[in-house]
Amino acid sequence: MNDELPALPWERSRRRTAPARIPLTRDRIVDAAYVVLDREGYEKLGMRQVAAELGVAVSALYSHVSSKDELFELMYVRMFDDWDLPEPDPEHWREQVAEYARDGRARLHKHRDMARISMGGIPFGPETLPYMDRILGIFRAGGLPDRVAGAAGDVISTFIDGFALEESMWETRRRESGQNSWAEMRETLERYFEELPPDRFPHLVALSNTMFENSNDDRFDLGIEIIIRGLASFVEEVEKTEAGGSSGTSAPEDERP
Amino acid sequence: MNDELPALPWERSRRRTAPARIPLTRDRIVDAAYVVLDREGYEKLGMRQVAAELGVAVSALYSHVSSKDELFELMYVRMFDDWDLPEPDPEHWREQVAEYARDGRARLHKHRDMARISMGGIPFGPETLPYMDRILGIFRAGGLPDRVAGAAGDVISTFIDGFALEESMWETRRRESGQNSWAEMRETLERYFEELPPDRFPHLVALSNTMFENSNDDRFDLGIEIIIRGLASFVEEVEKTEAGGSSGTSAPEDERP
DNA sequence: ACTGTGGAATGAACGCCGTTCTCTAATAGA
DNA sequence: TCTATTAGAGAACGGCGTTCATTCCACAGT
């Protein structure tokens, strides 16, 4: 054999690189995808970038992942890892729902543009079903009629995703417009609204203060509060006859911030 | 001038092709984009398809539209054409909000995958500002405190967009899975939920009936009702002590369109 | 110790995309 | 009638997701 002969110049060297020390797995691919997502953003997240992040050929990914869509789906279900929803507690369903919502938003914020990936994720896949069941359980434990519990899931989850998506789009615009900090961006926006012609946009101008003086967190919490109060108005007072009776049908009194 | 003379037969070579009978405009491009969207769906909507629809070279589009993103933005603002929001009526703000929501969903349903384009549209662009102002006006006329009115816009619009987006994604899945009718698809889904292991997903199984026996319209209306009830719980009963009086300090009565 | 085999990674290619560039031809104005 | 302008055409560029034939490597069986 001529193994030890110098490689002929026109042939590519036989053993080119170190042979993939660590084996490629779906998990490593998802990890790399998150690294790329955080560094480059949703628009630049592609199979080539993920492969480059792993130091691997693009086509190698397709042995473990059937398409970009599936990769995104894997990223989506990754969002639910280690998410422990509490045992439904009839007495504290409001707090449990509020905390679920805040957790959801926090998880969406853990990675840049994550809301873009979350939208379009299948909410009833095998991995996410347990969480959907749990949140429905919390609603039902709270006394929501079944048909309201179903709609409650729609309202809550569209709000969480939609709010986070809007935040991530503002963040993108901020980045693209060269504004360095959120405070700077917010000031720019507030000025924009304040300088609108008040005769044509009286309400926007009037609200420009309150809309921007509160943080996004406050606005999110308020949105959740609105939804929870609306849900509470449907709670059937089936029993709970005696002490500690909560409010009437349409307007519950208050709750913990 | 010989403008009105018929073209001489032998010099037809001069003007060999029909010289763009109808001039290309932004409006015609947006029209064509909608045609392509309805026929091919969001994923297949591209500059080449739009150009082909117009019988025009791709590059011609860029004389009127600076990018695909701008084209999408034009499609987004088109959604607001001829949308007459009513004069804010303090007595009927709930009905006005509900109708606004239903209108919004209907407009999103007018074109396939429209929700995908609506998500990502700039809600505070010059063309959409009047509508945002109007809906805020309705909230304030109803007696919502200013900071609640701001959050109310978030909740309502994320629900409308998110709900419609989810619908359009189910529709896409139905199309891709070869199911012909929605009824068929719904039956498949209901069976899927019913056959889940009840010990692991008790609530999903329990709700599988009610979740699918109601139409999407009912679920949407119920979601809106939840939100409106939540908003109502924030209405300040400042005065409105008795008959006639319009609302108080925080809600201006009306405005000219 | 040798060899055969199967799975995983490679590199090149395909067809598509959004966008840009150059050039042509038709129009409008003097 | 000549010229300046400009809308549109056509080709090209780089990048995308995906596929495919090939190559390499680790390991099983002899």
Side-chain angles (χ1 to χ4, degrees):
Chain A
M1 300 309 199
N2 56 4
D3 278 356
E4 60 277 353
L5 290 182
L8 297 178
W10 55 85
E11 315 189 300
R12 295 192 312 273
S13 62
R14 287 298 173 83
R15 47 192 64 206
R16 268 179 313 325
T17 68
R21 321 279 309 139
I22 322 165
L24 205 51
T25 64
R26 287 161 81 93
D27 269 340
R28 286 191 63 226
I29 292 175
V30 174
D31 289 341
Y34 270 119
V35 172
V36 174
L37 180 66
D38 288 332
R39 183 181 353 107
E40 319 254 6
Y42 179 86
E43 306 282 355
K44 301 280 186 190
L45 171 55
M47 302 303 272
R48 281 172 166 82
Q49 287 77 1
V50 174
E53 181 67 29
L54 291 160
V56 131
V58 208
S59 50
L61 302 178
Y62 286 86
S63 304
H64 304 87
V65 154
S66 70
S67 70
K68 192 189 183 186
D69 279 348
E70 192 186 57
L71 173 55
F72 279 22
E73 196 67 29
L74 293 175
M75 297 177 76
Y76 170 70
V77 308
R78 169 74 63 91
M79 200 178 63
F80 293 86
D81 281 1
D82 303 322
W83 193 349
D84 293 319
L85 292 183
E87 204 76 30
D89 175 1
E91 300 301 319
H92 300 96
W93 69 274
R94 292 157 165 261
E95 292 84 345
Q96 289 186 325
V97 171
E99 189 173 323
Y100 161 78
R102 278 190 284 261
D103 274 7
R105 184 168 84 113
R107 275 161 192 271
L108 289 170
H109 279 333
K110 275 202 77 170
H111 294 100
R112 173 173 168 188
D113 291 339
M114 189 61 204
R116 294 276 272 280
I117 287 171
S118 174
M119 289 270 172
I122 301 173
F124 293 120
E127 297 89 350
T128 55
L129 274 180
Y131 302 93
M132 303 306 134
D133 195 70
R134 258 298 159 86
I135 187 69
L136 286 180
I138 294 175
F139 289 144
R140 297 179 86 204
L144 288 181
D146 283 355
R147 62 180 247 287
V148 179
D154 293 338
V155 178
I156 284 276
S157 58
T158 58
F159 180 68
I160 298 170
D161 272 347
F163 195 93
L165 179 67
E166 208 162 285
E167 283 182 297
S168 101
M169 290 193 315
W170 281 115
E171 176 68 10
T172 300
R173 280 176 208 128
R174 181 189 68 74
R175 225 185 289 257
E176 284 171 354
S177 71
Q179 310 262 13
N180 292 350
S181 70
W182 234 116
E184 193 180 344
M185 179 72 167
R186 188 151 68 185
E187 199 150 343
T188 308
L189 282 175
E190 186 170 1
R191 209 184 325 268
Y192 170 68
F193 278 102
E194 280 173 352
E195 289 173 357
L196 289 174
D199 53 328
R200 294 177 53 201
F201 308 113
H203 306 294
L204 282 168
V205 174
L207 292 185
S208 65
N209 307 321
T210 61
M211 286 224 294
F212 292 103
E213 80 186 1
N214 297 119
S215 68
N216 276 0
D217 303 75
D218 294 334
R219 271 177 51 236
F220 182 80
D221 283 348
L222 184 49
I224 291 296
E225 171 76 13
I226 291 168
I227 294 170
I228 290 178
R229 288 208 199 181
L231 293 176
S233 76
F234 283 94
V235 170
E236 290 169 336
E237 306 285 341
V238 281
E239 7 203 4
K240 189 179 285 190
T241 48
E242 31 91 48
S246 66
S247 74
T249 55
S250 73
E253 63 279 25
D254 67 352
E255 107 187 42
R256 306 274 345 243
Chain B
M1 303 302 195
N2 54 4
D3 278 356
E4 60 276 356
L5 288 183
L8 298 176
W10 56 84
E11 58 180 17
R12 273 190 349 111
S13 57
R14 287 284 186 86
R15 47 189 68 202
R16 49 178 167 48
T17 70
R21 323 273 305 133
I22 321 163
L24 205 51
T25 63
R26 288 162 80 93
D27 270 340
R28 286 191 62 226
I29 293 175
V30 174
D31 289 341
Y34 269 119
V35 172
V36 174
L37 180 67
D38 288 332
R39 183 181 352 106
E40 319 254 8
Y42 178 86
E43 306 281 355
K44 302 279 186 190
L45 171 55
M47 303 302 272
R48 281 173 167 82
Q49 286 78 358
V50 174
E53 182 67 30
L54 290 161
V56 129
V58 209
S59 52
L61 302 178
Y62 285 87
S63 304
H64 303 88
V65 154
S66 70
S67 70
K68 193 189 183 187
D69 279 347
E70 192 187 56
L71 173 55
F72 279 21
E73 195 66 29
L74 293 175
M75 297 176 76
Y76 170 69
V77 307
R78 168 74 63 92
M79 200 178 63
F80 293 87
D81 280 2
D82 304 321
W83 194 348
D84 292 320
L85 293 183
E87 205 76 31
D89 175 1
E91 301 300 321
H92 301 97
W93 69 273
R94 290 157 166 264
E95 293 83 348
Q96 289 186 324
V97 170
E99 189 174 324
Y100 161 78
R102 278 189 284 263
D103 274 8
R105 174 165 170 260
R107 277 162 190 270
L108 288 171
H109 279 333
K110 275 203 77 171
H111 297 285
R112 173 174 170 188
D113 291 340
M114 189 60 203
R116 295 275 272 280
I117 287 171
S118 173
M119 289 272 172
I122 301 173
F124 294 119
E127 297 89 351
T128 54
L129 274 179
Y131 303 93
M132 303 306 135
D133 195 70
R134 258 298 160 88
I135 188 66
L136 286 180
I138 292 175
F139 290 143
R140 299 179 84 203
L144 288 181
D146 283 355
R147 62 179 246 287
V148 178
D154 292 337
V155 178
I156 283 277
S157 58
T158 58
F159 179 68
I160 298 170
D161 272 347
F163 194 93
L165 179 67
E166 209 162 284
E167 283 182 296
S168 100
M169 289 194 315
W170 281 115
E171 176 68 11
T172 300
R173 278 176 209 129
R174 181 189 68 74
R175 224 185 291 256
E176 285 172 353
S177 72
Q179 311 262 13
N180 291 352
S181 70
W182 234 115
E184 194 180 345
M185 177 74 167
R186 189 152 66 185
E187 199 150 345
T188 308
L189 282 175
E190 186 170 1
R191 207 183 325 269
Y192 170 68
F193 278 102
E194 280 173 352
E195 289 173 357
L196 289 175
D199 53 328
R200 294 176 53 200
F201 308 113
H203 306 293
L204 281 167
V205 174
L207 266 57
S208 64
N209 307 322
T210 60
M211 286 225 293
F212 292 103
E213 80 185 0
N214 298 119
S215 67
N216 276 0
D217 304 73
D218 294 333
R219 271 177 52 237
F220 181 81
D221 282 348
L222 183 50
I224 291 296
E225 173 74 14
I226 290 168
I227 294 171
I228 290 178
R229 288 209 201 180
L231 294 176
S233 75
F234 283 94
V235 170
E236 291 169 336
E237 306 284 342
V238 281
E239 12 201 0
K240 187 178 286 189
T241 47
E242 28 102 48
S246 79
S247 63
T249 57
S250 68
E253 55 276 26
D254 65 355
E255 105 195 43
R256 303 269 345 199

